[in-house]
């Protein structure tokens, strides 16, 4: 009986560990493949055009946990550092990426705007968008 309980608990722990959340950076299907360095540059508006197409980065809302994961993993800045960055950029005429309130609105926008790029939970992925990068936590 004791062995059965240990096996059962081990199985639960392994299934919990293997079900880490997975996230994707997505774009309009017409976008070419991009490196994480290029994705970061697009979200910091250091790159604004890719192959003569205007790049349109799209964020989730400021307090969205997926946005926090994206900014830490890809942009490599936390909320406070990004806030400071955009305050400085404002004075040279640059505005931060547009924000959307839901993953569905991000996906719909990206599907319909040629240079759009954003991020969502991989469980909300479908074939209407292109996956540029995938990570899990």
């Amino acid at each position: 009986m004791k062995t059965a309980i240990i096996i059962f608990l081990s199985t639960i722990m392994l299934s919990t560990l293997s079900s880490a959340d997975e996230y994707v950076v997505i774009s309009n299907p017409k976008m070419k493949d991009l490196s994480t360095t290029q994705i970061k540059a697009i979200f910091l508006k250091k790159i604004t055009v890719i192959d003569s197409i205007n790049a349109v980065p799209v964020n989730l809302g400021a307090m969205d946990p997926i946005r926090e994961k994206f900014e830490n993993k890809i942009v490599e800045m936390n909320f406070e550092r990004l806030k400071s960055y955009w305050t400085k950029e404002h004075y040279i005429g640059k505005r931060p990426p547009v924000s959307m309130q839901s993953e569905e609105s991000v996906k719909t926008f990206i599907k319909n705007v040629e240079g759009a790029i954003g991020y969502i939970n991989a469980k909300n992925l479908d074939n209407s968008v292109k996956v540029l990068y995938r990570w899990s936590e």
Side-chain angles (χ1 to χ4, degrees):
M1 179 71 171
K2 190 175 180 181
T3 303
I5 292 172
I6 291 172
I7 291 171
F8 175 73
L9 292 174
S10 297
T11 304
I12 290 174
M13 287 175 56
L14 286 174
S15 67
T16 302
L17 291 174
S18 65
S19 65
D21 287 330
E22 188 174 32
Y23 306 96
V24 288
V25 177
I26 57 174
S27 70
N28 183 278
K30 295 178 182 176
M31 179 72 79
K32 74 175 201 162
D33 291 340
L34 300 171
S35 69
T36 54
T37 302
Q38 289 171 308
I39 294 167
K40 175 181 178 177
I42 289 169
F43 274 85
L44 294 175
K45 296 216 175 163
K46 293 180 179 188
I47 294 177
T48 57
V49 177
I50 302 280
D51 291 343
S52 70
I53 298 170
N54 288 333
V56 184
V58 181
N59 272 326
L60 286 167
M63 296 299 133
D64 192 294
I66 298 173
R67 178 172 172 170
E68 181 182 1
K69 293 173 190 321
F70 171 79
E71 290 172 345
N72 288 327
K73 177 73 174 178
I74 305 299
V75 182
E76 299 173 317
M77 292 185 193
N78 64 23
F79 179 79
E80 288 303 317
R81 191 162 163 222
L82 271 169
K83 185 176 171 183
S84 175
Y85 173 83
W86 285 114
T87 299
K88 291 175 189 170
E89 293 295 299
H90 171 78
Y91 291 104
I92 60 170
K94 292 184 180 179
R95 306 192 98 218
V98 64
S99 292
M100 305 240 165
Q101 292 306 307
S102 72
E103 293 176 68
E104 193 58 40
S105 60
V106 167
K107 190 169 61 172
T108 300
F109 183 85
I110 287 171
K111 178 173 60 172
N112 293 306
V113 176
E114 191 175 40
I117 178 173
Y119 47 88
I120 59 173
N121 191 307
K123 70 181 178 187
N124 296 318
L125 188 61
D126 62 37
N127 62 1
S128 68
V129 294
K130 177 179 182 176
V131 175
L132 298 175
Y133 184 74
R134 200 179 276 269
W135 84 96
S136 59
E137 293 189 8

